[in-house]
Structure formats: structure tokens, C-alpha cells
Amino acid sequence: MSLYTMLMALVFLLILSGFFSLSETSMMAINRYRLRYLAKQGHRGARLTIKLLNHTDRLLGVILLGNNLLNTASATLVAVIVAMLFGHNDLALFLGSVAVTFAILIFSEITPKVIAAAYPERIALTASYVLTPLLTICYPVVWFVNLFVRGLLILFRLNPEKNQLEQKISIEELKTLVLEGGYFIQHKHQSMLLNLFDLETITVDDVMVPRSRVEAIDISDNDETIQTQLLTCHHTRLPVYRERMDNITGIIHVRKILNQMQNGKITAEMIEKVLHKPYFIPSGTRLFSQLQLFQENQMRIGLVVDEYGEWLGLVTLEDIMEEIIGEFTTQAPTQMSTFLKQGDGSIIVEGSTLLRDLNRKLNFQFPLDGPKTLNGLIVEHFQDIPEAGVSLSIANYPMEIIQTKNRVVKTVKIYPVFTNAKVDDSES
């Protein structure tokens, strides 16, 4: 065999070895979710790749078998070339070994693997057409080698196949995938997906309307008072109680009652006939679970109760939907604005405002692992009901108590010294 032929054979061996390195890295680096999508679309290369990856031991067996055979053949061929040119010169053999090691590293290992890591999908799908028949041809050898591999795994009590089946993607990993897919996912859709994941960590206590702010009807009032309240209310469903707010008798759909006005005045007896049984929700229920319960029970409104049966507030289907897609309802005109921007840049906030709303709308960073409202956070800070005019700082946000009433903090002024809060003029 001439020297030229052996040099060409060496180049060919290095190229083939590079192909196996390309295949190995691209197969391991390919996006499995993208691969499944392509397979569902009918891509034959994707289907072949999935079949190969389903038996990783066989895939790696045929790749490493070919790679090592080719590298060994390359080293042997270089030794023959050196012997032909320089005889049995030890220095020449050493330099030849160094040269072939350098060539394998550059042309058969590092460069192919860098390319495969950059373009795994394109290379893996193409390589699957070659590796599939090659695995069929070399299967007896691969099977024999894998016998020893499995024996070692059993000896060390390892089960890679079981570990692969048990691997599941976590919520945090899903969030990372959504965030990193920002170029392909619209910002609004991205925000909705992230909010949907948060439903597993948010409870009904975080979004409920506190009982003190719930619009309700006292069925023990006279008919004129009840009718006036129905005509001026700002919600379509209202809780109905008798004498005390604790004594809830049901939920009323205002539209059904107003339709009865054609037959005369609205009376308490008329309301009692169309009352719906109240739907109670245990405090601490996860929003995602409650969304499913609303769907299963065909309900749209529920009353949150604590462990003693005392109702704490009200949650509607719309409240949960707003946590996913953002606010889409308008504030009742008779209610005081939750946020009121002042000329000096400070913001006056109601004490009953939910901390989640402050963080979301004003870009604050109040802690959410304790009290749910600004009033609760301030009371927890002092371990007492503060007087008006008292100043404090929580989470580096300086604030001043403007008004306290009935053992609660009614209004608070938050100064923007350490904040980047932005308030819409439409909310002021």
C-alpha cells in the first residue's frame, strides 16, 4: 500500500470518527420536546431519533464502538506510516503518537462536538438515517458488549432506565422554559402562562374581597331599603344575611330579582324564594383547585371560611380569572380609589389593600408569606394597633399612618424614596 493511500485512509478514518462524535453529542443535546413535536408532524428522522434514544445503551454502544475502532485504526495506521518513513525510531514513534492524538482531538472530537452542540437538531435527525441501519448490522456486537455494561450497573445497583422514567419537569423548570421562549411567545401569553403556574402557590385568601368590603343585603330590612339597595348595587351576585353578617342565608342573582319588579314591589319573601344556597370555601384552598371546584360545582361565587366556620371574605370566578389574564373589570364608582397619588410623589393606600395588588400594580416587594393586607402587615409589625401620625418602614418602604378606625388601619401614605412605583392616572 502506497504512502499516499495510507494518508487518504487516515483522513477518511478521522472523518468517520468525527461523524460518530457529531452523532453522540447531537443525540444527547437535542431538545426532546421539539423532537416529539416533529415526530407528531410526521418527520421520519424525528421518529427514528426517538427510537434510538429510547434505547440509550444500544445507541451509545454502536456510536462508541465505531468511534473507538476508528480511533484505534487511526493510531495503528500512523504507527505503520512512521515505521515506513523512519523505521523503528523511538522518537519518531513518540512524535507520531502525539500527532495522531492531536489530530483525533481536533478533527474527531472537539470540533465535531462543538458543531453538534450548536446544531443538535439538524445533525441528529440526519445521523439517525445512518445510525439506525448501522445499529441493526452491529447489533450482535453491541448486545454482547452491553452484557458486561449491565452486569457492572447491577453490581453498583444502578438502574438508568428507571431513573429516566422517574424524571419529571418541575413547575420552576416550566417557568424557565416559558421565560426563555420569549422570542416565540407573545409577552401577554407569556405573562398568562406564568400566572397560571402561580395558581398552585396562591390561595383564595390572597385574592378574596375582605368581609368588611363585601356588598351584601340584610333581608331583615324593610322592603324599600332592600329595593333601593338592589337598584343601586354594583354587582350581579350579592350575599344575603339576616341581621348579622355572620348569619348568611344565601346568594342572590340581582338580575332575576329585578325581572320580578314587573309584577310589583320587591319584598323579602320574594328574595327568599330565589335564594341560592351559599357555597363555602375553606381558607387556604389553592386557586387552581378552587378553579376546578367552581367548574365541577357550576358555581361562580363562594364565601371563604376559617377553621371555626367564620366567613372571612368572598371569592368569585372573575377574581381567579384576573389572576391569570389580568384585570378586566372596572372599580365600583362609589368605592374609594385603592391608590391615590399625591403631588409630592407619595401614594395614599387603603389599609385593606391586598399586598399582592400593591406588588403587582405598584411594583413593590412586600413580603407575601405572612399577612395578606397592608393593615395586617402594619399590625404585625407593631404587635398593636398604631395611632394616626405614626411613621414606620417595612421592607425598606417608609410609610405614615394617616387614619385608624374601629381597630384597623384605614389609610396609609407610602413614600417613594426607595421605590420605583408607578401609578396610572386612571387609578388615581
Side-chain angles (χ1 to χ4, degrees), residues 21-165:
S21 294
L22 275 170
S23 303
E24 178 188 4
T25 303
S26 62
M27 288 287 180
M28 296 302 107
I30 193 170
N31 188 319
R32 305 298 175 93
Y33 303 102
R34 169 72 176 170
L35 190 62
R36 292 188 189 120
Y37 168 76
L38 291 174
K40 289 180 180 178
Q41 298 300 312
H43 196 293
R44 186 167 181 267
R47 291 177 178 175
L48 292 176
T49 304
I50 289 176
K51 289 182 179 179
L52 291 170
L53 289 172
N54 285 339
H55 302 281
T56 310
D57 56 340
R58 300 175 188 175
L59 174 63
L60 291 177
V62 70
I63 289 176
L64 295 177
L65 176 64
N67 199 21
N68 283 282
L69 281 175
L70 291 168
N71 289 341
T72 303
S74 299
T76 303
L77 191 56
V78 167
V80 173
I81 294 173
V82 170
M84 287 179 59
L85 295 176
F86 304 101
H88 296 286
N89 188 299
D90 292 340
L91 179 61
L93 287 173
F94 172 74
L95 293 176
S97 299
V98 172
V100 72
T101 301
F102 180 79
I104 290 173
L105 281 175
I106 299 300
F107 299 105
S108 300
E109 294 293 336
I110 298 176
T111 302
K113 288 183 177 180
V114 169
I115 296 173
Y119 307 99
E121 181 182 314
R122 188 182 308 175
I123 295 172
L125 298 183
T126 304
S128 64
Y129 290 101
V130 178
L131 292 176
T132 299
L134 189 61
L135 178 59
T136 303
I137 296 170
C138 301
Y139 182 76
V141 179
V142 173
W143 174 82
F144 180 74
V145 172
N146 281 337
L147 282 180
F148 296 91
V149 174
R150 290 173 183 170
L152 287 174
L153 291 176
I154 294 173
L155 182 64
F156 291 108
R157 297 182 180 179
L158 298 176
N159 191 346
E161 293 182 359
K162 181 180 178 181
N163 186 55
Q164 287 179 353
L165 292 174

Side-chain angles (χ1 to χ4, degrees), residues 164-233:
Q164 287 179 353
L165 292 174
E166 290 178 350
Q167 285 183 349
K168 296 180 180 179
I169 190 167
S170 66
I171 294 295
E172 294 303 321
E173 290 170 333
L174 275 174
K175 288 182 180 180
T176 303
L177 286 175
V178 173
L179 289 171
E180 291 183 352
Y183 179 79
F184 304 98
I185 306 175
Q186 295 183 21
H187 177 73
K188 182 64 176 178
H189 296 168
Q190 188 182 66
S191 176
M192 289 171 60
L193 287 171
L194 293 175
N195 290 339
L196 188 60
F197 297 146
D198 287 337
L199 292 188
E200 285 289 356
T201 59
I202 303 172
T203 66
V204 291
D205 305 71
D206 295 313
V207 301
M208 71 178 184
V209 179
R211 191 175 78 169
S212 59
R213 298 177 61 183
V214 172
E215 190 176 19
I217 292 179
D218 184 357
I219 202 170
S220 62
D221 284 337
N222 57 64
D223 294 342
E224 289 74 15
T225 302
I226 293 175
Q227 181 168 314
T228 300
Q229 190 172 357
L230 288 171
L231 292 173
T232 58
C233 67

Side-chain angles (χ1 to χ4, degrees), residues 110-365:
I110 298 176
T111 302
K113 288 183 177 180
V114 169
I115 296 173
Y119 307 99
E121 181 182 314
R122 188 182 308 175
I123 295 172
L125 298 183
T126 304
S128 64
Y129 290 101
V130 178
L131 292 176
T132 299
L134 189 61
L135 178 59
T136 303
I137 296 170
C138 301
Y139 182 76
V141 179
V142 173
W143 174 82
F144 180 74
V145 172
N146 281 337
L147 282 180
F148 296 91
V149 174
R150 290 173 183 170
L152 287 174
L153 291 176
I154 294 173
L155 182 64
F156 291 108
R157 297 182 180 179
L158 298 176
N159 191 346
E161 293 182 359
K162 181 180 178 181
N163 186 55
Q164 287 179 353
L165 292 174
E166 290 178 350
Q167 285 183 349
K168 296 180 180 179
I169 190 167
S170 66
I171 294 295
E172 294 303 321
E173 290 170 333
L174 275 174
K175 288 182 180 180
T176 303
L177 286 175
V178 173
L179 289 171
E180 291 183 352
Y183 179 79
F184 304 98
I185 306 175
Q186 295 183 21
H187 177 73
K188 182 64 176 178
H189 296 168
Q190 188 182 66
S191 176
M192 289 171 60
L193 287 171
L194 293 175
N195 290 339
L196 188 60
F197 297 146
D198 287 337
L199 292 188
E200 285 289 356
T201 59
I202 303 172
T203 66
V204 291
D205 305 71
D206 295 313
V207 301
M208 71 178 184
V209 179
R211 191 175 78 169
S212 59
R213 298 177 61 183
V214 172
E215 190 176 19
I217 292 179
D218 184 357
I219 202 170
S220 62
D221 284 337
N222 57 64
D223 294 342
E224 289 74 15
T225 302
I226 293 175
Q227 181 168 314
T228 300
Q229 190 172 357
L230 288 171
L231 292 173
T232 58
C233 67
H234 301 98
H235 302 88
T236 57
R237 292 174 176 82
L238 300 177
V240 177
Y241 65 95
R242 188 179 298 278
E243 296 181 355
R244 296 180 300 104
M245 287 284 281
D246 292 327
N247 188 19
I248 294 290
T249 59
I251 304 293
I252 187 176
H253 198 299
V254 176
R255 187 173 58 187
K256 291 183 179 179
I257 288 296
L258 294 181
N259 290 337
Q260 301 296 323
M261 289 186 64
Q262 299 176 355
N263 301 325
K265 294 179 61 176
I266 297 175
T267 63
E269 291 76 12
M270 185 185 300
I271 291 177
E272 289 180 336
K273 291 180 180 179
V274 295
L275 277 180
H276 292 287
K277 185 179 179 181
Y279 174 63
F280 295 103
I281 304 170
S283 175
T285 303
R286 304 290 181 183
L287 277 194
F288 188 77
S289 300
Q290 188 54 50
L291 182 62
Q292 293 177 307
L293 290 171
F294 272 146
Q295 184 180 29
E296 292 172 4
N297 295 299
Q298 297 183 344
M299 303 293 292
R300 299 178 63 92
I301 185 172
L303 304 176
V304 181
V305 295
D306 62 13
E307 57 185 313
Y308 303 106
E310 298 292 332
W311 78 287
L312 309 175
L314 180 146
V315 172
T316 65
L317 179 61
E318 287 76 11
D319 293 328
I320 301 178
M321 296 305 298
E322 285 185 353
E323 286 296 316
I324 301 174
I325 65 176
E327 291 192 5
F328 56 88
T329 57
T330 56
Q331 195 177 40
T334 58
Q335 294 178 351
M336 173 184 173
S337 297
T338 305
F339 314 122
L340 188 62
K341 187 175 181 180
Q342 303 298 295
D344 60 356
S346 61
I347 303 168
I348 294 180
V349 182
E350 291 183 16
S352 58
T353 304
L354 293 173
L355 294 176
R356 282 184 53 79
D357 288 343
L358 286 174
N359 290 349
R360 183 172 60 246
K361 296 179 181 178
L362 303 181
N363 199 27
F364 288 158
Q365 298 295 327

